[in-house]
């Protein structure tokens, strides 16, 4: 039941000799007292040569649909009040039948979307810098799936490039096998840092690093063996972080190295199309306007980040025939993705338009970039553990007898981090404050989880007796909830259109607030069995949508907390 569409068509029926369907605009009034929907009649005034007020009055006379409980005319607006009983019964039945499929649709049926997200760099700590890409990408995956698309999630690991040549050189010169086994990521990072320190006084080292990367690209067995080992050790560490986050299902871990043997044909095609140019010791593709040329190959034959992304884009187009390819990567890579798109466009492929850089702002702590603290990289794993342990402390204070307190603490701690990351517009910077994100009140993950748990304990009183919707008195609290729930599918659509999970995060806060007002306004469970049962049905559909909304965001919903 698409209310806006129905209203539009009803109004159009009356005015069709004068206007087109697109002329009819439907607004949401500022307050519920002014109706659920409003139609401004000013634009019709000229054509009909009548005052907006007269037109609104005429529409009011002629509109005739049991879906409208009341129609009012105020200052040239036609205000429409939806029939509460009809919509309430419809929504309750719909959500109870569709359950977690509520809000699904088939817009994307038969179409593939590739989402490239998370993509941390091997031999470096999984820092908070990659948190946002991981959680935004994961939520977008669920959003696109709800719209019926088939999603292919790809972790484009940073596992190739000159830095690995440097690392191999550093390991061979100063490394210690045992220490790497004990503490791989930190040891590798130290070697990398040492390389750069020594290279300051000895620039020749840079050449050594490049040489080793060249060897790696050419398949030198020793270089390959070391690289593989570094990669395995790193992945073991990353997996622990992914497990904590509960985000660990990628369809492919195709890192940059995967494209090592897939770049040459593309470089050849660039050359054959006359796009490749040799300039200042490297092969480039010149781009229009003030966009710097794209660097695709160094004179020693070594390839670059962009070259691998070119190969990846072609590979993905060929293997997944995507309708859209999303790259969830921070703002600082805007130029890179512009160049990627433009090079493919210059090669003559119209699908370059389907490449979309989904950028996002930074995480700040006390107003400063959080990825480093006192010059040290902040590890995401440490942040998560810290949050989980504070969550545990809070739960112990509130509910010390809770079963599986460790698992619930993880769900709350991680939920807090994820929600904080998704509650603001994707492109804004976000502030990370441990105390704030874990509050049980306000715009937080724990607030949603707490509301959900509260509903679940109410639902224990459900008896599944038959009820008649005609007996349900719909007060303003219930009506706000019903209308909110009715809007859920539209929110999913908006989240997909803007590629922004914050649409859903904000919606869930509104829904939880609506629920808590309802909860505070009257006793939900009392002696009157039928009344109780009816109210519990409303609780149940709120729980279904809350749970599904949280699932989309990647937040788990414990039944008790
Ligand atoms: N590993 C890169 C980084 O950490 C992100 C990769 C994003 N994906 C891509 N296809 N370039 O900066």
């Amino acid at each position: 039941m698409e209310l806006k569409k129905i209203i539009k068509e009803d109004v159009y029926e009356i005015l069709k000799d004068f206007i087109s369907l697109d002329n009819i605009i439907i607004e949401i009034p500022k307050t519920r007292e002014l109706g659920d929907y409003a139609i401004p009649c000013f634009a019709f005034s000229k054509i009909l040569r009548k005052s907006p007020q007269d037109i609104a009055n005429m529409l009011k006379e002629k509109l005739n649909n049991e879906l409208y409980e009341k129609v009012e005319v105020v200052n040239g607006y036609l205000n429409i009040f939806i029939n509460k009983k009809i919509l309430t019964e419809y929504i309750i039945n719909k959500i109870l039948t569709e359950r977690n499929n509520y809000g699904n649709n088939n817009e994307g049926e038969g179409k593939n979307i590739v989402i490239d997200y998370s993509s941390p760099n091997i031999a470096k700590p999984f820092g908070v810098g990659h948190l946002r890409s991981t959680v935004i990408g994961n939520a977008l995956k669920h959003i696109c799936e709800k719209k019926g698309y088939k999603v292919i999630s790809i972790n484009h690991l940073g596992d190739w490039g000159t830095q690995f040549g440097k690392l191999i050189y550093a390991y061979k010169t100063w490394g210690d096998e045992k220490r790497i086994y004990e503490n791989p990521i930190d040891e590798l990072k130290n070697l990398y840092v040492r390389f750069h320190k020594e290279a300051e006084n000895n620039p020749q080292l840079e050449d050594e690093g490049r040489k080793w990367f060249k060897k790696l690209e050419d398949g030198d067995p020793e270089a390959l063996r070391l690289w593989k080992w570094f990669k395995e050790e790193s992945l073991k560490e990353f997996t622990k972080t992914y497990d904590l986050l509960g985000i660990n299902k990628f369809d492919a871990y195709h890192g940059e190295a995967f494209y090592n043997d897939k770049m040459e044909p593309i470089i050849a095609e660039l050359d054959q199309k006359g796009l490749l140019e040799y300039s200042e010791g490297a092969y480039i593709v010149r781009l229009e306007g003030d966009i710097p040329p794209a660097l695709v190959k160094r004179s020693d034959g070594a390839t670059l980040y962009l070259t691998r992304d070119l190969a990846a884009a072609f590979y993905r187009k060929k293997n997944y025939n995507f309708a859209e390819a999303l790259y969830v990567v921070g703002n600082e890579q805007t130029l890179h993705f512009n160049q990627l798109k433009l090079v493919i466009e210059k090669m003559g492929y119209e699908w370059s338009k389907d490449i979309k850089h989904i950028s996002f702002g930074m995480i700040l702590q006390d107003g400063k970039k959080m990825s480093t603290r006192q010059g040290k990289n902040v590890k995401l794993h440490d942040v998560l553990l810290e949050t989980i342990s504070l969550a545990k402390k809070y739960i112990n204070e509130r509910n010390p007898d809770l079963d599986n307190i460790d698992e619930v603490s993880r769900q709350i701690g991680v939920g807090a981090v994820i929600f904080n990351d998704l509650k603001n517009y994707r492109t804004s910077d976000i502030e990370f404050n441990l105390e704030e994100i874990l509050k049980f009140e306000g715009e937080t993950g724990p607030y949603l989880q707490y509301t959900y748990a509260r509903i679940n304990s109410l639902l224990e009183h459900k008896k599944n007796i038959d009820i008649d919707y005609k007996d349900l008195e719909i007060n303003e609290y219930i009506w706000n909830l019903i209308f909110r729930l009715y809007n859920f599918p539209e929110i999913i659509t908006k989240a997909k259109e803007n590629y922004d999970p914050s649409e859903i995060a904000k919606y869930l806060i509104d829904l939880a607030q609506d629920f808590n007002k309802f909860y505070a306004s009257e006793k939900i469970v009392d002696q009157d069995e039928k009344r109780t049962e009816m109210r519990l049905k409303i609780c149940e559909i709120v729980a279904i949508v809350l749970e599904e909304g949280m699932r989309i965001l990647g937040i788990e919903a414990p039944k008790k907390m």
Side-chain angles (χ1 to χ4, degrees):
M1 177 153 37
E2 282 183 66
L3 292 172
K4 283 189 200 166
K5 208 173 145 212
I6 297 173
I7 297 174
K8 256 188 162 185
E9 280 165 2
D10 283 354
V11 170
Y12 179 67
E13 235 350 87
I14 303 169
L15 297 178
K16 68 175 170 224
D17 293 338
F18 308 99
I19 61 167
S20 73
L21 198 61
D22 295 337
N23 292 137
I24 304 166
I25 292 164
I26 302 205
E27 295 177 359
I28 309 283
K30 287 207 178 59
T31 67
R32 258 290 125 69
E33 286 99 70
L34 289 172
D36 302 310
Y37 294 105
I39 301 176
C41 296
F42 310 97
F44 312 144
S45 188
K46 247 199 173 142
I47 317 170
L48 275 83
R49 296 171 176 276
K50 275 189 195 152
S51 75
Q53 190 76 3
D54 286 347
I55 299 169
N57 273 318
M58 184 263 282
L59 289 173
K60 180 185 162 168
E61 294 282 286
K62 295 197 176 162
L63 273 182
N64 179 18
N65 187 332
E66 59 162 7
L67 253 183
Y68 314 139
E69 189 166 282
K70 191 167 73 172
V71 180
E72 279 178 0
V73 173
V74 181
N75 298 331
Y77 279 90
L78 186 74
N79 293 341
I80 296 179
F81 296 77
I82 299 298
N83 185 310
K84 299 187 180 57
K85 286 230 159 84
I86 295 180
L87 191 69
T88 302
E89 186 172 348
Y90 168 79
I91 284 296
I92 293 178
N93 285 331
K94 189 168 172 74
I95 298 177
L96 286 180
T97 340
E98 295 183 3
R99 306 201 74 88
N100 60 343
N101 290 323
Y102 178 58
N104 289 14
N105 79 20
N106 54 7
E107 169 196 303
E109 218 169 74
K111 292 193 197 130
N112 294 348
I113 294 191
V114 171
I115 311 185
D116 173 323
Y117 63 100
S118 196
S119 313
N121 299 316
I122 293 300
K124 282 197 188 151
F126 193 146
V128 287
H130 286 89
L131 171 67
R132 298 213 68 193
S133 172
T134 309
V135 304
I136 295 171
N138 183 54
L140 287 178
K141 170 181 150 133
H142 296 143
I143 291 166
C144 294
E145 282 169 348
K146 267 195 102 63
K147 300 292 294 174
Y149 293 90
K150 176 170 188 284
V151 175
I152 298 101
S153 55
I154 299 181
N155 196 328
H156 189 80
L157 293 168
D159 60 0
W160 209 243
T162 339
Q163 67 270 34
F164 294 97
K166 295 176 182 174
L167 200 57
I168 291 170
Y169 176 85
Y171 174 74
K172 286 178 62 72
T173 320
W174 311 295
D176 175 14
E177 182 171 344
K178 217 178 114 224
R179 284 174 57 174
I180 295 196
Y181 272 118
E182 279 161 11
N183 189 6
I185 303 261
D186 287 329
E187 276 307 312
L188 291 172
K189 202 194 73 202
N190 290 341
L191 282 174
Y192 193 64
V193 169
R194 171 139 185 210
F195 180 93
H196 281 278
K197 252 205 201 108
E198 307 246 354
E200 271 170 30
N201 305 318
N202 183 3
Q204 223 207 308
L205 284 190
E206 296 285 345
D207 286 334
E208 295 294 332
R210 267 197 285 276
K211 263 191 225 156
W212 273 103
F213 179 51
K214 189 72 182 82
K215 281 191 177 183
L216 187 60
E217 285 204 302
D218 294 340
D220 174 85
E222 186 185 16
L224 265 178
R225 180 180 62 80
L226 289 173
W227 169 80
K228 267 199 188 124
W229 174 42
F230 299 158
K231 181 166 168 176
E232 273 162 24
E233 292 302 324
S234 302
L235 278 178
K236 272 189 219 158
E237 294 264 322
F238 293 174
T239 305
K240 291 184 203 155
T241 306
Y242 285 128
D243 285 346
L244 266 191
L245 276 173
I247 299 177
N248 41 21
K249 291 188 211 84
F250 291 89
D251 294 310
Y253 276 87
H254 286 161
E256 293 182 42
F258 179 74
Y259 303 99
N260 189 33
D261 59 357
K262 301 174 180 63
M263 291 179 278
E264 221 21 79
I266 292 160
I267 299 176
E269 184 178 335
L270 281 168
D271 195 17
Q272 174 242 320
K273 289 185 168 159
L275 296 169
L276 208 59
E277 203 178 300
Y278 191 76
S279 164
E280 295 174 44
Y283 294 91
I284 62 165
V285 175
R286 246 177 236 293
L287 300 169
E288 271 71 49
D290 47 9
I291 299 181
L295 197 54
V296 289
K297 201 161 125 177
R298 287 190 218 279
S299 51
D300 66 358
T303 58
L304 294 108
Y305 182 50
L306 182 76
T307 330
R308 293 184 283 280
D309 256 330
L310 274 170
F314 280 90
Y315 179 86
R316 292 170 189 178
K317 185 64 197 171
K318 181 160 173 269
N319 286 277
Y320 309 121
N321 189 26
F322 56 74
E324 293 177 60
L326 311 183
Y327 294 80
V328 188
V329 188
N331 290 333
E332 65 285 353
Q333 294 195 23
T334 301
L335 173 64
H336 169 77
F337 287 104
N338 263 334
Q339 291 179 320
L340 176 67
K341 231 176 131 121
L342 287 170
V343 171
I344 297 173
E345 188 186 316
K346 283 198 104 153
M347 292 170 84
Y349 295 101
E350 61 83 37
W351 53 264
S352 68
K353 69 173 188 343
D354 305 323
I355 288 181
K356 293 172 189 167
H357 176 205
I358 309 299
S359 68
F360 49 80
M362 286 185 289
I363 304 186
L364 307 175
Q365 200 166 35
D366 304 321
K368 285 199 235 46
K369 191 169 174 179
M370 189 188 175
S371 40
T372 49
R373 224 183 253 167
Q374 284 135 17
K376 277 204 200 124
N377 271 313
V378 181
K379 288 191 198 166
L380 177 54
H381 205 261
D382 295 342
V383 173
L384 293 174
L385 290 180
E386 203 181 337
T387 316
I388 293 168
S389 98
L390 190 59
K392 186 168 172 181
K393 181 174 160 250
Y394 290 160
I395 297 172
N396 264 320
E397 286 164 9
R398 303 168 72 107
N399 191 357
D401 303 325
L402 188 69
D403 292 340
N404 59 355
I405 213 161
D406 284 322
E407 178 60 0
V408 175
S409 306
R410 185 192 65 78
Q411 293 171 321
I412 308 272
V414 169
V417 171
I418 295 182
F419 190 81
N420 183 57
D421 200 299
L422 298 179
K423 72 175 186 180
N424 293 308
Y425 290 113
R426 163 168 67 73
T427 47
S428 321
D429 291 341
I430 59 166
E431 179 72 31
F432 183 93
N433 176 322
L434 195 55
E435 302 283 335
E436 289 295 322
I437 68 171
L438 273 172
K439 286 201 169 134
F440 281 56
E441 292 296 327
E443 297 175 12
T444 66
Y447 174 66
L448 295 179
Q449 288 165 319
Y450 185 61
T451 305
Y452 178 78
R454 166 179 277 171
I455 300 179
N456 271 293
S457 66
L458 285 169
L459 289 178
E460 287 170 11
H461 299 277
K462 226 171 151 258
K463 298 208 173 90
N464 294 318
I465 50 175
D466 280 338
I467 56 160
D468 190 343
Y469 289 102
K470 282 202 259 340
D471 301 335
L472 178 66
E473 352 124 19
I474 303 164
N475 61 27
E476 62 167 304
Y477 301 105
I478 296 181
W479 181 234
N480 281 340
L481 274 173
I482 294 295
F483 209 74
R484 182 81 64 198
L485 292 166
Y486 168 75
N487 277 325
F488 184 61
E490 206 176 300
I491 296 293
I492 308 278
T493 303
K494 220 164 148 196
K496 163 67 177 65
E497 272 168 16
N498 303 335
Y499 306 102
D500 196 345
S502 74
E503 295 290 345
I504 293 168
K506 290 180 177 134
Y507 170 89
L508 292 178
I509 289 293
D510 289 338
L511 178 62
Q513 284 174 351
D514 285 345
F515 176 80
N516 286 313
K517 283 184 200 152
F518 165 59
Y519 179 81
S521 73
E522 61 190 309
K523 256 186 120 73
I524 292 180
V525 178
D526 64 11
Q527 308 303 339
D528 184 340
E529 278 199 339
K530 286 207 162 168
R531 181 184 171 282
T532 301
E533 189 72 8
M534 256 175 308
R535 260 141 238 268
L536 288 178
K537 281 222 196 262
I538 308 232
C539 294
E540 190 177 358
I541 59 175
V542 173
I544 291 172
V545 174
L546 266 181
E547 187 181 350
E548 175 61 1
M550 285 195 269
R551 182 197 68 81
I552 294 174
L553 298 184
I555 297 174
E556 291 172 56
K559 291 240 184 313
K560 286 201 170 80
M561 66 185 266

